[in-house]
């Protein structure tokens, strides 16, 4: 039923249907991945209603893939292909959801994993740059308010390292971008 709601673009109904289950642990992996995608799309449209549960479903899906729990009816070749495409996408999605939740450090962790799994995806670097920039902005604001001394010096070093991460991530994104409309806008 939830899958049918997603196909009909009735996202609220899909999430409400899943919420009625005693535990989402037994949900089909493909449905979990579609719910995460729907949650990310809702978040992009500034609807944060399903953000936290989408993060939960993303974690469940990642655990299932990393535990090599192949869905029924999927052959080994299909599973290998599915894992190779879906796992980096799930990490990217969790990074975006964490960023929208105001958790840039968590976003960085997920996006680094997405980069590791899909190093040629320029959007992974773009989002990683955005998350690192958010952490940099927070650290630089905190730095401005600290008195001189060793703690300020340590935070200054951390802030400098974060700025380097921002530059590095955006440089990779620019180098890898192929000129798609989205990438052109980001440039």
């Amino acid at each position: 039923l939830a899958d049918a709601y997603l196909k009909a673009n009735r996202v609220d109904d899909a999430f409400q249907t899943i919420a009625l289950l005693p535990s989402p642990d037994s949900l089909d992996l493909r449905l979990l991945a579609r719910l995460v995608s729907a949650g990310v799309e809702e978040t992009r449209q500034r609807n944060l209603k399903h953000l936290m549960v989408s993060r939960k479903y993303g974690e469940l899906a990642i655990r299932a893939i990393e535990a090599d729990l192949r869905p029924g009816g999927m052959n080994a070749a299909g599973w290998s292909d599915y894992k190779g495409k879906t796992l980096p996408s799930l990490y990217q999605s969790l990074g975006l959801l964490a960023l929208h939740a105001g958790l840039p450090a968590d976003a960085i962790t997920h996006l680094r994993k997405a980069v590791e799994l899909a190093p040629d995806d320029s959007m992974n670097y773009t989002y990683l740059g955005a998350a690192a920039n958010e952490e940099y902005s927070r650290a630089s604001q905190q730095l401005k308010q600290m008195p001189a001394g060793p703690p300020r010096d340590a935070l200054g070093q951390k802030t400098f390292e974060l700025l380097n991460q921002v530059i590095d991530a955006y440089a990779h994104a620019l180098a890898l971008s192929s000129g798609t409309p989205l990438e052109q806008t980001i440039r």
Side-chain angles (χ1 to χ4, degrees):
L1 181 60
D3 193 40
Y5 281 139
L6 287 174
K7 288 176 182 171
N9 201 28
R10 293 175 55 185
V11 176
D12 287 341
D13 292 329
F15 278 95
Q16 287 172 1
T17 300
I18 299 301
L20 297 174
L21 297 175
S23 171
D25 294 340
S26 62
L27 284 175
D28 180 78
L29 171 61
R30 293 164 289 202
L31 177 58
L32 284 172
R34 286 190 294 274
L35 286 164
V36 172
S37 292
V40 168
E41 192 53 41
E42 290 290 301
T43 301
R44 283 187 175 130
Q45 296 173 18
R46 304 286 185 239
N47 179 0
L48 306 181
K49 186 176 184 180
H50 307 296
L51 187 146
M52 297 311 286
V53 72
S54 295
R55 291 184 71 205
K56 177 182 171 184
Y57 295 157
E59 294 288 348
L60 284 172
I62 286 171
R63 278 199 305 269
I65 292 173
E66 290 180 343
D68 210 25
L69 300 175
R70 178 174 43 167
M74 189 180 287
N75 64 31
W79 175 237
S80 179
D81 184 52
Y82 183 82
K83 283 189 336 185
K85 290 178 182 171
T86 305
L87 193 57
S89 175
L90 285 167
Y91 274 109
Q92 183 185 88
S93 293
L94 284 180
L96 286 170
L97 291 167
L99 194 56
H100 282 283
L103 303 167
D106 195 23
I108 289 170
T109 300
H110 291 300
L111 291 165
R112 282 187 179 147
K113 186 67 175 179
V115 164
E116 178 186 316
L117 295 168
D120 294 336
D121 184 343
S122 66
M123 296 309 296
N124 285 334
Y125 289 102
T126 300
Y127 299 139
L128 179 59
N133 190 51
E134 183 66 32
E135 276 284 276
Y136 164 75
S137 295
R138 288 180 179 187
S140 65
Q141 288 300 320
Q142 186 180 2
L143 185 65
K144 290 177 186 177
Q145 299 172 3
M146 290 182 77
R152 186 177 195 278
D153 295 341
L155 182 59
Q157 181 61 35
K158 178 185 174 189
T159 304
F160 181 72
E161 290 168 8
L162 285 167
L163 181 57
N164 281 332
Q165 289 178 29
V166 172
I167 293 167
D168 183 66
Y170 284 146
H172 274 87
L174 187 60
L176 290 170
S177 64
S178 61
T180 66
L182 177 59
E183 291 171 334
Q184 201 61 34
T185 301
I186 290 170
R187 279 180 175 210

